[in-house]
Amino acid sequence: MLSSDSKETEATAGASPNDNPDKGKTEQNREEAPKEDDGNTKDTPQNGAENDKGNEEAAGCDHANTAEEAKMPRLKKTAIIASASVVIVAAIVVGLTFGLPRLQYSNAINAIDNGSYAEAASLLEGSEIEDAPWQLLYCQGMISLEEKDYAAAASLFQQAGDLRDAPQQYSRSCYLEGEKLRETGDYAAAIELFNESQFDDYQKQVAYCEAEQFLTAGNLESAIAAFTKASGTRDADQKYLDTCLAFGKECYEDKSFYEARQYFLKISDNEEAQQLAEACVTAEAFVSAEDLYKEGKLDLAQQAFKELPSNFSLDGVTVAQRIDTLSSHQAFVDLCGTWSTSDAPTGRSKQIWSSGDGRSEWWDLEYSSNDLTIACIIKDNGDVQITGTAHYQHPRTYSTLSSGVKHSSTSASINLTASSIPSTFYDKDDTTITYKNGAFTLKYKKYDDSYSMNFDYEYTATFIYDKHTPSSQ
């Protein structure tokens, strides 16, 4: 067994000097110390204690050095962890600062694409990323559309500019607000918005509003034209038919029967309109008959009224009433028309020797056929005003040659009122017109005793109008 000294020596012999030179030297001194001892030195308890204390302090010093050395790696590790924590915190701060808004923006865009505009709007509130403010305006516009606040929607989409389909949504909002105003009767404002929208069938909507304005103003004809342009929009087609019916009646009241009939015929599936269209034809014929009646062409009027339904009436007058009135004045009806001569009218130019024995000489003359027209107007009291004109010729000079006789062509105007057929229709200016046995006779006779001191002259003419033809239209 090795003593402790031997152990130390062995331990020392095994160490490298290069590791700790001072330490080797100390150990060497320790080995040499006994040789220097002269035998007088002893290990006393005190010295042993001091040696033990010194050994303890040396051991304590060694332990202290070992503890310090042990602490150093731990401090490095703590520093590394602290540095990593700072980096992580910084990364979190940066992420929170930049990543979260971007994530919210992305979520907002997805929400818009999915039609969740309220959710998107809440995510975009206060965002300063890129076009977030315009995206928010777009969302608010879509929300206003859903809430049917079309005016607000239009304003918001207009502010959103060209973002997404904002221009189209603006047009749509204007169109929908136009519809809203149209329903309230504010047609002028609606027209303005429809024109602004340029959306869908806006032109038809404008035409519809214009038609309503024309209706309000009572301009039915213009309303019909506008409803025609608005065909297919809302109830435009039905209102077109209704307005045609109303305007047709208006034309009927104004006695514009032809025009009225054209509008009634546009309503082919309406029984009332078809009846009114037929009534227009009857009314036109009635008016024509009534005109003949009032013009005194009773023969034509009677024929026209007989062709109409007896129960038809206009302005309070029925066809039956007119037929009854004409029948009760049939003699006057038969007078109406044109009368001409069957045989050639005759005339005479005669010279009388007044200063002598009264002998005379004359020329018998023939004239071409002439005519006489008669019209009879029945008054409200039943009397009849007879008017007419007779055309005839007569001689106005005498000559020793028949070809030298001069003639005049003239006329007589008839105008008298009677309750029955008179015998004399005209008696004036050397001319008489009488009626007897279904014929008119015109006689002209003029005696001239002022032309010559030796001769008097007599001029006569006779026209018998016995050939009757109906009145002309």
Side-chain angles (χ1 to χ4, degrees), residues 138 157-158 160-171:
Y138 181 87
F157 287 128
Q158 190 174 39
D162 293 332
L163 184 74
R164 291 176 171 268
D165 62 342
Q168 290 76 20
Q169 294 296 349
Y170 169 73
S171 295

Side-chain angles (χ1 to χ4, degrees), residues 299-342:
D299 54 334
L300 297 180
Q302 186 178 60
Q303 181 181 349
F305 280 121
K306 284 182 177 180
E307 293 176 356
L308 300 177
S310 61
N311 62 346
F312 182 83
S313 66
L314 187 67
D315 295 336
V317 179
T318 66
V319 171
Q321 288 174 330
R322 285 291 186 247
I323 291 175
D324 289 344
T325 300
L326 290 165
S327 296
S328 64
H329 293 79
Q330 191 62 48
F332 291 96
V333 173
D334 294 339
L335 282 181
C336 296
T338 300
W339 298 79
S340 57
T341 57
S342 297

Side-chain angles (χ1 to χ4, degrees), residues 11-27:
T12 301
S16 173
N18 294 331
D19 291 339
N20 194 340
D22 293 334
K23 185 176 180 183
K25 186 176 181 181
T26 303
E27 296 296 330

Side-chain angles (χ1 to χ4, degrees), residues 267-302:
I267 318 169
S268 58
D269 58 347
N270 185 297
E271 184 176 352
E272 180 187 9
Q274 293 307 303
Q275 290 176 349
L276 287 170
E278 293 176 7
C280 286
V281 176
T282 304
E284 284 185 293
F286 182 95
V287 169
S288 296
E290 191 73 356
D291 288 343
L292 294 170
Y293 181 85
K294 292 177 179 178
E295 290 169 6
K297 299 177 180 181
L298 301 184
D299 54 334
L300 297 180
Q302 186 178 60

